[in-house]
C-alpha cells in the first residue's frame, strides 16, 4: 500500500457542505464604494472563498446607521432570528459600520448577542479580524464600533458649524419657505439663478438659497392676517375660519388651523430675519426645543413682506395673553389641555384656544419641561439634560468674560472672535473654552464628555468640568492641540497621567502663562 503524505485528510472548502448564510447590506448617503451592490459583491466573494451559501438578503437602502429606527430590513432580520424563522446559521455584513454607527457601541453589541444566543453568528467580511470571540477580535471590534459612532459625531459637529456659518451669511438652510415666500437659488456670488419649486433642491454644492417675496396675492393674504389680528383684534382661529371659507389653502395645500396662523404671526422670516436652530435633532436623537439664546440668526437677511412695526404689535398681543394671567391661571389652562388630550407638546399647546403659546410657557417658567412638571405631566423621556445644557450655554459667555478679565488682570491682551468665541491671547495663541456637563452613572460615579473644537484647531482648549450638580466648576484641564488626538474625550474622576497631567484646580497657572512684563523689567 502506498500512502500519499501530501494529503492532509481534511476537507477543502469546496468539498465541505456549504453553510447557509444571510447577507445584510446598508447604504446611507455616503460614497459609491459603499453602495449595496458593491457590498453584496464583496460579501459574495467572501462567501465563495469560505464555504457559505447566501440564501437570504436583507437590504436597507438610503438608511442612516445611527439607530434601529427606520431600518426595516435589520428589524426584520433580528425578528426572524429571535422568532426562530431564520433558515441560516451566519449573517454576513460588509464591515462593522454597515451593521450600524450606533452612538452607544453597546447597542451594536446587544443586537449581535441576540443573534448569537439564537445560534446565528455575525461575520464582517471586509474587516481584518475574524469575529471569533477571541480577546483580540473583541477589542478590535469594540474600537471599530467606537470609530463608526465617532465618525458621525465629528460629521455632525462639522455640518452644524457649516450650517451656522451659512445662516450668518443670510442663506436659507432647509425647510419650506412658508406662505407668501419663495426659495430663490443663487450662485456663489449671490446672482439669482431661478426660483425653486416645492420639493426641488439645489444640485451644485456652491449654490445657495435665499427667501424672496412670493406672489402678490399671497403677500396680500399674509399682510391681511396681521391686520386682522392687530387692528381688527381677531384671534387665530377666526382668521383661519375666514380663509377656509374663501377656499384659500395654506402653502402645503391644506386648510388653515389656529396653529398655522399662529406660526405666521410669530415667524421672523416675514420681516426678513433668518433664524435657524429653534429645535435640534442631532444624531437621530429626539427633537428638542432650544432656548432663544442658542438660535442662529441673521437679521435683515431677506426682503421683508410685513411691516416690522406691525410684526412687533402682533408679538406684543401674543405675549400679553400670558402676562394678563397669573401663574396659577396659566397652569390651570395647561391642566385643561392635558385633560383634553391626555398628553402635552408644543404643537398641542399652540393649537389650543384661548391659551398662551408654548413659547410663552417657556418664557414664564424657564422651560416647557418645568411647566409640565408643575401640572403633574411627565414626558416619556427624561429631558433633564436639556435644562442642564441650557444652563451651561448661558454660563458659557460668563466664563469667557471671566477668562478675558483674568488674562487682562495678569497683564496680557485678548481679542475675542465674535463668530467662533475663540480667544487670541497676546497675538500668539488661540484658546477655546469648553464646559463639560457632569453625568452620574447608576453607581454614582462622575463622568464627563469633552468635545474639542476640531474645525478651528485652537492651540489650547480650556476644558471646565462641572461638579455633580452642574452648578460650579469642579476642575480645569489645559489641553494643547498638539497632544490631543481625539475629537471627543471621555473622562472619569481619574484618567491617568496622559490626561490628568493637564489638570488644575484653578486657572491661576494659565493666567501666569499669559502675563507680560515691560521690556526694562524683563531685561
Amino acid at each position: 500500500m502506498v500512502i500519499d503524505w501530501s494529503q492532509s485528510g481534511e476537507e477543502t472548502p469546496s468539498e465541505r457542505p456549504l453553510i447557509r448564510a444571510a447577507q445584510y447590506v446598508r447604504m446611507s448617503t455616503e460614497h459609491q464604494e459603499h453602495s449595496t451592490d458593491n457590498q453584496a459583491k464583496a460579501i459574495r466573494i467572501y462567501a465563495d472563498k469560505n464555504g457559505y451559501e447566501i440564501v437570504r438578503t436583507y437590504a436597507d437602502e438610503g438608511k442612516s446607521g445611527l439607530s434601529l429606527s427606520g431600518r426595516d430590513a435589520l428589524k426584520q432580520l433580528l425578528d426572524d432570528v429571535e422568532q426562530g424563522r431564520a433558515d441560516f446559521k451566519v449573517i454576513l455584513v460588509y464591515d462593522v459600520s454597515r451593521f450600524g454607527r450606533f452612538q452607544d457601541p453597546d447597542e451594536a453589541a446587544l443586537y449581535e448577542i441576540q443573534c448569537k444566543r439564537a445560534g446565528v453568528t455575525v461575520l464582517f467580511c471586509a474587516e481584518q479580524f475574524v469575529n471569533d470571540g477571541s480577546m483580540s477580535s473583541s477589542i478590535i471590534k469594540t474600537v471599530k464600533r467606537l470609530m463608526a459612532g465617532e465618525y458621525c459625531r465629528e460629521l455632525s459637529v462639522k455640518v452644524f458649524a457649516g450650517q451656522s456659518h451659512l445662516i450668518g451669511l443670510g442663506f436659507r438652510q432647509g425647510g419650506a419657505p412658508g406662505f407668501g415666500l419663495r426659495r430663490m437659488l443663487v450662485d456663489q456670488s449671490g446672482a439669482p439663478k431661478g426660483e425653486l419649486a416645492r420639493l426641488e433642491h439645489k444640485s451644485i454644492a456652491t449654490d445657495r438659497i435665499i427667501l424672496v417675496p412670493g406672489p402678490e396675492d399671497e403677500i396680500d393674504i399674509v399682510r391681511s392676517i396681521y391686520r386682522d389680528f392687530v387692528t381688527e383684534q381677531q384671534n387665530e382661529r377666526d382668521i383661519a375660519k375666514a380663509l377656509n371659507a374663501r377656499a384659500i389653502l395654506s402653502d402645503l395645500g391644506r386648510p388653515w388651523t389656529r396653529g398655522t396662523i399662529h406660526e405666521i404671526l410669530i415667524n421672523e422670516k416675514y420681516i426678513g430675519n433668518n433664524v435657524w436652530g429653534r429645535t435640534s435633532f442631532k444624531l437621530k436623537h429626539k427633537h428638542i426645543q432650544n432656548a432663544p439664546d442658542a438660535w442662529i440668526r441673521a437679521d435683515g437677511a431677506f426682503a421683508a413682506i410685513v411691516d416690522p412695526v406691525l410684526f412687533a404689535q402682533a408679538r406684543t398681543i401674543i405675549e400679553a395673553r400670558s402676562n394678563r394671567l397669573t401663574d396659577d391661571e396659566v397652569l390651570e389652562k395647561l391642566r385643561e389641555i392635558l385633560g383634553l388630550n391626555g398628553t402635552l407638546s408644543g404643537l398641542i399647546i399652540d393649537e389650543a384656544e384661548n391659551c398662551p403659546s408654548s413659547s410663552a410657557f417657556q418664557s414664564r417658567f424657564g422651560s416647557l419641561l418645568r411647566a409640565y412638571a408643575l401640572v403633574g405631566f411627565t414626558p416619556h423621556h427624561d429631558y433633564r439634560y436639556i435644562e442642564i445644557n441650557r444652563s451651561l450655554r448661558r454660563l458659557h459667555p460668563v466664563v469667557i468674560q471671566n477668562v478675558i478679565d483674568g488674562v487682562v488682570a495678569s497683564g496680557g491682551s485678548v481679542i475675542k472672535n465674535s463668530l467662533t468665541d475663540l480667544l487670541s491671547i497676546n497675538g500668539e495663541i488661540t484658546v477655546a473654552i469648553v464646559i463639560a456637563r457632569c453625568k452620574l452613572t447608576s453607581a454614582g460615579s462622575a463622568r464627563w464628555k469633552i468635545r474639542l473644537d476640531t474645525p478651528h484647531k485652537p492651540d489650547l482648549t480650556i476644558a471646565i468640568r462641572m461638579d455633580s450638580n452642574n452648578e460650579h466648576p469642579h476642575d480645569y484641564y489645559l489641553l494643547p492641540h498638539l497632544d490631543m488626538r481625539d475629537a471627543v474625550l471621555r473622562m472619569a474622576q481619574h484618567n491617568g497621567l496622559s490626561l490628568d497631567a493637564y489638570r488644575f484646580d484653578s486657572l491661576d497657572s494659565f493666567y501666569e502663562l499669559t502675563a507680560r512684563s515691560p521690556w526694562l523689567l524683563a531685561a
Side-chain angles (χ1 to χ4, degrees), residues 278 280 286-294 358-359 361-374 377 379 381-396 435-438 466 468-471:
R278 292 184 177 92
S280 295
K286 294 295 182 181
H287 277 99
I288 63 173
Q289 297 284 337
N290 294 324
D293 59 0
S358 58
S359 59
F361 279 99
Q362 179 177 336
S363 175
R364 174 173 291 210
F365 298 104
S367 71
L368 278 177
L369 292 178
R370 185 167 182 272
Y372 293 165
L374 291 173
F377 173 68
H381 300 275
D382 184 359
Y383 291 114
R384 285 176 296 177
Y385 73 94
I386 299 177
E387 300 307 316
I388 295 174
N389 288 346
R390 285 174 177 165
S391 175
L392 296 184
R393 279 197 295 269
R394 291 192 293 268
L395 179 62
H396 192 259
I435 301 178
R437 173 171 63 95
C438 180
M466 301 300 290
S468 58
N469 295 321
N470 287 293
E471 295 178 353

Side-chain angles (χ1 to χ4, degrees), residues 44-93:
R44 184 163 297 280
I45 293 174
Y46 179 90
D48 293 342
K49 182 179 179 181
N50 293 278
Y52 298 108
E53 177 188 8
I54 299 175
V55 298
R56 190 80 65 86
T57 296
Y58 298 84
D60 279 320
E61 300 195 31
K63 301 296 183 181
S64 167
L66 281 166
S67 68
L68 195 63
S69 176
R71 297 169 65 183
D72 295 337
L74 182 56
K75 289 180 182 178
Q76 185 63 54
L77 169 59
L78 296 174
D79 188 62
D80 288 347
V81 170
E82 286 194 315
Q83 300 302 321
R85 295 190 297 267
D87 56 349
F88 46 83
K89 291 295 183 183
V90 174
I91 300 172
L92 301 177
V93 187

